Amino acid sequence: MRPVAAKLTEIDNRTSVGHSLWLTPCSGWEEQPEPGQFVMVALPHPPAGFGREVCDAVPMSVAGWEPGRLRLTIKDLGPTSAALLACRPGDMLAVTGPLGHGFSLDARQPLLMGGGVGAPPLLFLAQQLAASGIDPVTLLGGTTVDEIFHREEFPGIVEIATDDGSAGHHGFVTELLDGRSPDLLYSCGPEPMLVKGLEWALANGIRAELCLERYMPCGVGLCGVCTIDRQLVCQDGPVLGSEQLEHSAEFGKVVREAGGVVRHAPA
Amino acid sequence: MRPVAAKLTEIDNRTSVGHSLWLTPCSGWEEQPEPGQFVMVALPHPPAGFGREVCDAVPMSVAGWEPGRLRLTIKDLGPTSAALLACRPGDMLAVTGPLGHGFSLDARQPLLMGGGVGAPPLLFLAQQLAASGIDPVTLLGGTTVDEIFHREEFPGIVEIATDDGSAGHHGFVTELLDGRSPDLLYSCGPEPMLVKGLEWALANGIRAELCLERYMPCGVGLCGVCTIDRQLVCQDGPVLGSEQLEHSAEFGKVVREAGGVVRHAPA
Amino acid sequence: MADMRVELAGLKLANPVLLASGILDSTPGILARMADSGAGALVTKSISLEPRPGYAGPTVAEVAPGTWLNAMGLPNPGLAEFLDEFDLQGGLVPVIPNLVADTPEDFGKLAAGVAGAGAKLAEINLSCPHPRAGWSGLLTAQDPAAAATATAAAAAHLPVIAKLSPDVADIGAIAVACAEAGAAAVSAINTMPALDIDTELERPVLGNAFGGLSGPALLPIGLRCVLKAVRALRDAGHAMPVIGIGGISSGDDAAKYILCGAQAVQVGTSLGGNPERLGEIAAELGGWMERKGYATLDAFRGNALEWLP
Amino acid sequence: MADMRVELAGLKLANPVLLASGILDSTPGILARMADSGAGALVTKSISLEPRPGYAGPTVAEVAPGTWLNAMGLPNPGLAEFLDEFDLQGGLVPVIPNLVADTPEDFGKLAAGVAGAGAKLAEINLSCPHPRAGWSGLLTAQDPAAAATATAAAAAHLPVIAKLSPDVADIGAIAVACAEAGAAAVSAINTMPALDIDTELERPVLGNAFGGLSGPALLPIGLRCVLKAVRALRDAGHAMPVIGIGGISSGDDAAKYILCGAQAVQVGTSLGGNPERLGEIAAELGGWMERKGYATLDAFRGNALEWLP
Ligand SMILES: Cc1cc2nc3c(=O)[nH]c(=O)nc-3n(C[C@H](O)[C@H](O)[C@H](O)COP(=O)(O)OP(=O)(O)OC[C@H]3O[C@@H](n4cnc5c(N)ncnc54)[C@H](O)[C@@H]3O)c2cc1C
Ligand SMILES: Cc1cc2nc3c(=O)[nH]c(=O)nc-3n(C[C@H](O)[C@H](O)[C@H](O)COP(=O)(O)OP(=O)(O)OC[C@H]3O[C@@H](n4cnc5c(N)ncnc54)[C@H](O)[C@@H]3O)c2cc1C
Ligand SMILES: Cc1cc2nc3c(=O)[nH]c(=O)nc-3n(C[C@H](O)[C@H](O)[C@H](O)COP(=O)(O)O)c2cc1C
Ligand SMILES: Cc1cc2nc3c(=O)[nH]c(=O)nc-3n(C[C@H](O)[C@H](O)[C@H](O)COP(=O)(O)O)c2cc1C
Ligand code: FES
Ligand code: FES
């Protein structure tokens, strides 16, 4: 596994807070990655108007794939993601991956719940499920309508929730869970949302697969900084099953930032 | 390719100037080597009565093979070969190989001519030919009867020549060539014998494959010391075809010793 | 079962296969997993007085199968938070904190800190392969006097293992200097400074440009360094143990270091993505000992030394 | 077609991909084959005043795919027989004799010998990785003053390339010392000193115990050394070229060295058993230049340097 130069060939799905990039790496990516797998995407040269301090590598979920190329959907969350969003077709990035373990594809009546840029890996999952003849139901949430990524692209039924009511249900996306009975809940998004999703799934006897985002300095299972309890999120995850998180002492409680500095999550 | 520890399990075919060793390497040798291929055999620890100066690696032809073990037939030619002959069952050697390119097996009416310890690779060849239903004719030569290795083991017809007349024809083994008409002459032994064999084959329009012995410091095509003309004897050979030697400026004329020091062969 | 117990600077370890610093040791959770996997002891990531966020990525790149370049930049939360999070006293498997600093004074403060928290042994990282301006990692390891001063400062507070770099003219001289400064052991080697270039991007592959080489390619370099350190210490009359590190990915590799005279070994890169491999390596070493008929590590330690020119 | 011509210390070469010393260069026959394969120039095996038979075997062992340890022991027939056998003047592809000696005086005698036989450029091997007692290879490469004296002694007779070892604390300082002593170029790196142990035999794998590591695993070490030498020379105001060596097995690898500022490169281990690979590597480099739109080597040489911390 090593960073491979990748050409930005296309930009689509713009919102005011982000968009999708299609990348064509110099080699690899002929085989289909698992939905839920991710890459470390690096910015080797700063785009116009940025300094070298934005050149870094950050984890991003695979949001789509065709033989030899892949899609990432990026939200402006800080210096590197902002600089990635400033890149133009023809610019070169570098990707390492696909990394980690993704979602299982063995649901019959799947429910997908995504928050913010949790949507991209779920889109890729939904496309795979649909391709195998299974119709997913998807719940997408965000603080505002522009935080809802890929709304038009999801196959099957899509329901929306926004914190500010700018689209769909006015409130948290987790409020749309009640009364449903899928055989499997797939979810990706902010950890507090995942915690609520897991609680709901456990309460209703439904299995869940949750895609976690943890601070990842290496992405390949060498450093251990991404650990949650005893699991390496970058290798054992990023998708972990309800049984792996049910008794966690850290899920939703302890997160780590650069250097492994602990931040206790707000309750 | 690296030296692999190998246990000496059996000694057979004794003559007063040498004998055969059966070696069982720790790994490898599950696949059949080509007759004519060789190993670098190293003596890691001096046998009783010898000093460390005998610990060296020298090239030896594969004289026989069974899955997981191989046979070498060694003549006492100097310090290392003498020490190898002093090893006892249970002792450990190290072998690197199989190395180089061996004899083709596509003769229908093969003639084999071996001189001294040129016999061992021809024995392995004769066994392979016989196994595929082809009856070889073999001519074996040596200065005296005890230099004739494997005489009883060759399948098919065997004729002998000794310089001192102690067995078979009294004279050089090349004197047994005349009047024969094989489709291919396979030969291994002292270079002057090979030169005569090649001359005879060319004169009679017969293809020849000759297994050369050149000083080999590495055996794996790295150093170039074993070169004859532009060919690496250890990699392009040790078996070279008549077409590769026909116009040689060095075959039978220039040989190199340790350090690549040139010794012009006696005419 | 072969008896694999070994003593290291007063610590009694169940086996000589330790977790190396910086690999799968950033949180108490992963350290517990490595302990359960069967480690003889656990060396933590390098801890500095103040937090270090680490370098910009890419931080790692595989340059040959299993062989990696890394420049993590010693990410760590700093001494205070480290002591808060990690238990250095309890635990069935000893935890050996690894310390990094730019001055002898800071090495002293770190050593005092971990000693105060109950550590019985610390490793000092004299040899970060890619220090930035003002960070003195590599330079300390290259200069016997600087290595000795740093060692003495830390050794005033608890027994220390001085961790050495292969990127020196004579590792034996550095090992002897550390012994004379009061080190309880030396460990060798840290990664080898190296560089890779992406020809498409025409720039270094890693964010920090330079990185450290680790994994199988490092094994023959590590074996040579350990053997040179063992011989130099012996020739200078020091009985101080050497811990072998670099490229170990099997019990056979571990045996190579011990045959070169190492007291124990540390394993890093080959555990990447595969934490349970640590215990397997220890088990393989035990299997090798049994097959060879060795009841203890002492029975074969240093056997290869008699074959040297 | 990209123009791959390059000048090296006055020699005009058709391309920058040279055969490295000691690999497939022991006889005029194999050297002619390497020339026809497409080498930019041919460096011979190391030649000493007196013949050297080489070390006892095993002399080579593969330690990872394509990566080898070797301790040939500089087998060579000595200067007189070398001059007898090899033509240093004619030939379409320049032949660069590589010289090895233990004293500056002997370096001077060797240089005078090859200059007298028509050589236009010689390489001096300051860096044999496994010298025996009385052979000063490695020590010369580790000491800037010794490297300078040897360089000056040879440079009195013809332009010389000083070949450096990676096993030094600061390769930049050695490169600058050689430049100041009158070297026409430096080449880096020679093999990395290393050791492998056979756990079954409980002894070193090689006859000489220590050997030199070469092949792919050496690439990131070589790139770092070349880049450090290039920067040190530039910072000291020397325009002297650096030749990159170590682990090159493709045109892409060659481009990496040139991106780090190398004037030319040498290829060794990856040609093992495959002499024609040399010309293929040169052709791959040409293909890379065309794809990138580079008309000359100067157009991209050193491009990676601006990305260094
Ligand atoms: C498995 C995984 C998948 C992800 N998928 C996506 C995706 O598809 N789309 C998307 O927009 N974002 C995704 N993220 C989040 C993305 O990595 C961060 O948005 C990005 O790292 C922000 O970096 P920055 O420099 O722009 O912001 P900063 O200001 O540096 O950080 C903003 C936030 O991002 C986090 N972050 C920074 N660096 C890292 C890092 N190396 N590893 C993890 N988190 C980091 C910080 O902790 C902080 O919470 C994913 C994260 C993970 C772990
Ligand atoms: C491809 C090949 C296959 C061979 N097969 C056999 C065989 O099956 N049985 C057998 O008894 N012998 C065989 N030999 C010859 C064998 O290698 C020598 O007998 C042995 O090397 C002698 O070493 P020594 O130290 O005992 O004698 P020395 O006194 O060192 O030398 C005696 C003779 O062996 C030659 N020799 C020494 N070292 C080497 C070396 N590294 N490479 C090549 N020649 C060397 C010397 O040039 C000299 O002519 C083979 C040689 C080659 C090249
Ligand atoms: C990702 C990574 C991080 C490392 N971090 C540290 C560190 O913080 N402190 C330290 O002393 N060594 C560190 N090292 C060096 C290792 O402890 C070890 O010395 C080296 O990797 C060689 O062993 P290996 O080949 O088994 O990995 C690190 C190595 C790697 C690969
Ligand atoms: C078998 C072998 C023999 C060598 N002999 C010499 C030598 O005689 N003189 C020398 O200066 N370098 C010698 N070297 C070193 C190479 O010239 C080169 O510096 C080194 O192998 C690194 O390049 P590579 O990875 O392309 O092989 C030798 C290397 C090998 C593998
Ligand atoms: S990010 Fe380094 S181990 Fe997961
Ligand atoms: S023996 Fe070294 S190349 Fe043939």
Side-chain angles (χ1 to χ4, degrees):
Chain A
M1 272 300 159
R2 51 186 277 118
V4 172
K7 184 175 271 173
L8 203 180
T9 48
E10 195 184 327
I11 291 175
D12 64 11
N13 196 256
R14 289 181 182 281
T15 79
S16 63
V17 296
H19 58 241
S20 295
L21 314 178
W22 279 96
L23 301 177
T24 306
C26 286
S27 63
W29 296 92
E30 292 308 322
E31 274 170 52
Q32 181 173 308
E34 299 170 12
Q37 284 192 300
F38 67 101
V39 297
M40 295 298 288
V41 57
L43 191 65
H45 306 126
F50 288 80
R52 286 192 182 180
E53 66 284 355
V54 301
C55 294
D56 196 358
V58 290
M60 294 284 167
S61 300
V62 176
W65 173 86
E66 289 167 6
R69 63 187 211 132
L70 74 153
R71 189 189 201 189
L72 305 178
T73 302
I74 299 179
K75 181 179 167 185
D76 180 355
L77 265 171
T80 301
S81 48
L84 287 169
L85 290 169
C87 292
R88 295 285 148 256
D91 286 353
M92 297 297 282
L93 301 175
V95 293
T96 307
L99 301 171
H101 290 93
F103 295 106
S104 75
L105 290 170
D106 39 44
R108 308 274 92 215
Q109 294 189 304
L111 179 64
L112 282 58
M113 176 172 70
V117 277
L122 294 180
L123 170 63
F124 186 35
L125 172 67
Q127 289 169 339
Q128 300 302 314
L129 289 168
S132 64
I134 292 166
D135 256 352
V137 174
T138 305
L139 315 177
L140 295 179
T143 48
T144 181
V145 63
D146 256 16
E147 301 253 348
I148 311 284
F149 287 94
H150 302 300
R151 179 182 181 172
E152 263 77 55
E153 290 184 76
F154 274 89
I157 298 161
V158 180
E159 293 183 36
I160 305 291
T162 52
D163 300 1
D164 65 359
S166 52
H169 171 74
H170 189 156
F172 293 141
V173 66
T174 47
E175 291 160 12
L176 301 177
L177 284 170
D178 281 331
R180 300 182 193 263
S181 50
D183 62 346
L184 190 42
L185 171 69
Y186 295 109
S187 189
C188 184
E191 211 159 291
M193 182 201 80
L194 298 179
V195 169
K196 287 219 183 96
L198 178 62
E199 278 167 8
W200 176 83
L202 290 172
N204 291 278
I206 294 162
R207 266 203 72 224
E209 294 186 7
L210 310 174
C211 181
L212 269 60
E213 295 189 359
R214 288 274 162 159
Y215 193 83
M216 293 185 178
C218 79
V220 298
L222 274 170
C223 70
V225 171
C226 65
T227 306
I228 184 165
D229 306 302
R230 291 170 161 233
Q231 291 159 108
L232 299 172
V233 174
C234 74
Q235 287 284 301
D236 301 317
V239 175
L240 295 173
S242 31
E243 64 292 354
Q244 290 168 288
L245 292 167
E246 189 174 351
H247 305 292
S248 170
E250 299 193 343
F251 182 52
K253 298 185 194 96
V254 176
V255 298
R256 289 185 171 76
E257 287 290 340
V261 174
V262 170
R263 182 160 56 73
H264 292 271
Chain B
M1 271 302 159
R2 54 185 277 119
V4 172
K7 183 175 270 173
L8 203 179
T9 48
E10 195 185 327
I11 292 175
D12 64 13
N13 196 255
R14 288 180 183 281
T15 81
S16 64
V17 296
H19 59 241
S20 296
L21 315 177
W22 280 96
L23 301 177
T24 305
C26 286
S27 63
W29 297 91
E30 292 308 321
E31 274 169 52
Q32 182 173 307
E34 299 170 13
Q37 285 192 300
F38 67 101
V39 297
M40 295 297 289
V41 57
L43 191 65
H45 306 126
F50 289 79
R52 285 192 182 180
E53 65 286 354
V54 301
C55 294
D56 196 356
V58 290
M60 293 284 166
S61 300
V62 175
W65 173 86
E66 289 167 6
R69 63 186 211 132
L70 73 153
R71 188 190 201 189
L72 305 177
T73 302
I74 300 179
K75 181 180 168 185
D76 179 354
L77 267 171
T80 302
S81 47
L84 286 168
L85 290 168
C87 291
R88 294 286 148 256
D91 286 354
M92 297 296 283
L93 302 175
V95 292
T96 307
L99 300 172
H101 290 94
F103 295 106
S104 75
L105 289 172
D106 39 45
R108 309 273 91 213
Q109 294 190 303
L111 179 64
L112 282 57
M113 177 172 70
V117 274
L122 294 179
L123 171 64
F124 187 34
L125 171 68
Q127 289 169 337
Q128 300 302 313
L129 288 169
S132 63
I134 292 167
D135 255 353
V137 174
T138 303
L139 315 177
L140 295 178
T143 47
T144 180
V145 63
D146 255 17
E147 301 255 346
I148 311 284
F149 287 95
H150 302 299
R151 180 182 180 170
E152 263 76 57
E153 290 184 76
F154 274 89
I157 299 162
V158 179
E159 294 184 35
I160 306 291
T162 52
D163 301 359
D164 64 0
S166 52
H169 172 74
H170 187 159
F172 293 142
V173 66
T174 48
E175 291 160 12
L176 300 177
L177 284 170
D178 281 330
R180 300 181 193 264
S181 49
D183 61 346
L184 190 42
L185 172 68
Y186 295 108
S187 189
C188 184
E191 211 161 289
M193 181 201 81
L194 298 179
V195 169
K196 288 219 183 97
L198 177 62
E199 277 167 9
W200 176 82
L202 289 173
N204 292 278
I206 295 163
R207 267 202 72 224
E209 294 186 8
L210 310 174
C211 181
L212 270 59
E213 295 188 0
R214 289 273 161 160
Y215 194 82
M216 294 184 177
C218 79
V220 297
L222 274 170
C223 69
V225 170
C226 65
T227 306
I228 183 165
D229 308 300
R230 290 169 159 234
Q231 290 159 109
L232 299 172
V233 174
C234 73
Q235 285 284 301
D236 301 318
V239 175
L240 295 173
S242 31
E243 64 293 353
Q244 289 168 289
L245 291 167
E246 189 174 352
H247 305 292
S248 171
E250 300 192 342
F251 182 52
K253 299 184 193 98
V254 176
V255 298
R256 289 184 171 76
E257 288 290 340
V261 174
V262 169
R263 180 162 56 74
H264 292 272
Chain C
M1 253 301 279
D3 178 357
M4 294 175 73
R5 284 175 303 172
V6 65
E7 203 181 299
L8 187 66
L11 287 185
K12 291 187 198 316
L13 312 182
N15 75 64
V17 182
L18 283 59
L19 174 65
S21 177
I23 295 99
L24 300 179
D25 54 5
S26 294
T27 72
I30 191 71
L31 223 48
R33 181 162 167 193
M34 303 312 289
D36 288 351
S37 153
L42 304 160
V43 183
T44 73
K45 62 182 164 184
S46 283
I47 303 300
S48 49
L49 277 179
E50 300 304 321
R52 289 185 184 179
Y55 292 150
T59 55
V60 295
E62 199 173 19
V63 293
T67 291
W68 290 76
L69 261 193
N70 92 81
M72 304 302 304
L74 300 176
N76 81 86
L79 180 66
E81 183 171 322
F82 170 75
L83 293 181
D84 241 36
E85 261 213 301
F86 288 77
D87 175 9
L88 301 180
Q89 314 209 49
L92 290 172
V93 178
V95 175
I96 301 172
N98 176 299
L99 312 176
V100 68
D102 298 320
T103 62
E105 293 69 44
D106 285 359
F107 270 119
K109 284 186 201 160
L110 286 161
V114 297
K120 299 279 172 295
L121 179 61
E123 182 174 69
I124 56 174
N125 180 357
L126 302 179
S127 46
C128 173
H130 37 61
R132 286 268 169 96
W135 295 22
S136 61
L138 194 53
L139 303 175
T140 308
Q142 290 186 330
D143 173 2
T149 318
T151 301
H157 302 280
L158 81 173
V160 297
I161 305 164
K163 182 165 178 180
L164 307 185
S165 169
D167 192 39
V168 300
D170 180 1
I171 198 165
I174 317 268
V176 169
C178 291
E180 286 168 2
V186 291
S187 56
I189 55 179
N190 210 316
T191 56
M192 180 74 194
L195 174 70
D196 197 8
I197 301 291
D198 187 305
T199 55
E200 208 48 54
L201 303 171
E202 305 196 1
R203 55 152 285 160
V205 172
L206 297 189
N208 185 59
F210 297 111
L213 195 72
S214 65
L218 204 62
L219 180 70
I221 301 175
L223 288 170
R224 167 184 174 258
C225 288
V226 163
L227 194 133
K228 289 198 82 177
V230 165
R231 285 215 294 186
L233 289 163
R234 184 194 63 190
D235 293 351
H238 295 290
M240 189 181 72
V242 176
I243 301 169
I245 322 176
I248 296 174
S249 63
S250 67
D252 204 54
D253 293 343
K256 290 181 184 186
Y257 277 101
I258 301 173
L259 285 165
C260 284
Q263 181 79 355
V265 299
Q266 295 179 13
V267 183
T269 303
S270 70
L271 310 176
N274 190 8
E276 277 62 41
R277 184 77 194 123
L278 188 62
E280 293 168 13
I281 291 172
E284 286 170 9
L285 176 62
W288 179 87
M289 288 172 65
E290 268 165 58
R291 194 162 51 73
K292 283 276 194 160
Y294 290 127
T296 65
L297 298 168
D298 289 341
F300 68 97
R301 183 180 289 113
N303 273 4
L305 264 83
E306 65 159 306
W307 286 98
L308 295 172
Chain D
M1 253 302 279
D3 178 357
M4 294 175 74
R5 284 175 303 172
V6 66
E7 203 181 299
L8 187 65
L11 287 185
K12 289 187 200 317
L13 312 182
N15 75 63
V17 182
L18 283 60
L19 175 65
S21 177
I23 295 101
L24 299 179
D25 54 4
S26 294
T27 73
I30 191 71
L31 224 47
R33 180 162 168 194
M34 302 313 289
D36 289 352
S37 153
L42 304 160
V43 183
T44 73
K45 61 183 164 183
S46 284
I47 303 301
S48 49
L49 277 180
E50 299 304 321
R52 288 185 184 180
Y55 292 150
T59 56
V60 296
E62 199 172 19
V63 292
T67 291
W68 290 76
L69 262 193
N70 91 83
M72 304 302 304
L74 300 175
N76 81 86
L79 180 66
E81 183 171 322
F82 170 75
L83 293 180
D84 242 36
E85 262 215 298
F86 287 76
D87 175 9
L88 301 180
Q89 314 209 49
L92 291 171
V93 179
V95 174
I96 302 172
N98 176 299
L99 312 175
V100 67
D102 298 319
T103 63
E105 293 68 46
D106 284 0
F107 270 118
K109 284 185 201 161
L110 287 161
V114 297
K120 300 280 172 294
L121 179 62
E123 183 174 69
I124 55 175
N125 180 358
L126 302 179
S127 45
C128 173
H130 37 61
R132 286 268 170 97
W135 295 20
S136 59
L138 194 53
L139 302 176
T140 307
Q142 290 186 330
D143 173 1
T149 318
T151 301
H157 301 281
L158 82 171
V160 298
I161 304 163
K163 182 164 178 180
L164 307 184
S165 169
D167 192 39
V168 299
D170 180 0
I171 197 165
I174 318 268
V176 169
C178 292
E180 286 169 3
V186 292
S187 56
I189 53 178
N190 210 316
T191 56
M192 180 75 196
L195 173 70
D196 198 8
I197 302 291
D198 187 304
T199 55
E200 208 49 55
L201 304 171
E202 305 195 2
R203 54 152 285 159
V205 173
L206 297 189
N208 185 59
F210 297 110
L213 195 71
S214 65
L218 205 61
L219 181 70
I221 300 176
L223 289 171
R224 168 186 173 256
C225 289
V226 164
L227 194 133
K228 290 198 82 179
V230 165
R231 285 215 294 187
L233 289 164
R234 185 194 62 190
D235 293 352
H238 295 290
M240 190 181 72
V242 176
I243 301 169
I245 321 175
I248 296 174
S249 63
S250 67
D252 204 55
D253 293 343
K256 289 180 184 187
Y257 276 102
I258 301 174
L259 286 165
C260 284
Q263 181 79 357
V265 299
Q266 295 180 14
V267 183
T269 303
S270 70
L271 311 176
N274 190 7
E276 278 61 41
R277 184 77 194 123
L278 189 62
E280 293 168 13
I281 290 173
E284 286 170 8
L285 176 62
W288 179 86
M289 288 173 65
E290 269 166 57
R291 195 162 52 71
K292 283 276 194 161
Y294 290 127
T296 65
L297 298 168
D298 289 342
F300 68 97
R301 184 179 289 112
N303 273 4
L305 265 84
E306 66 160 304
W307 285 98
L308 296 171

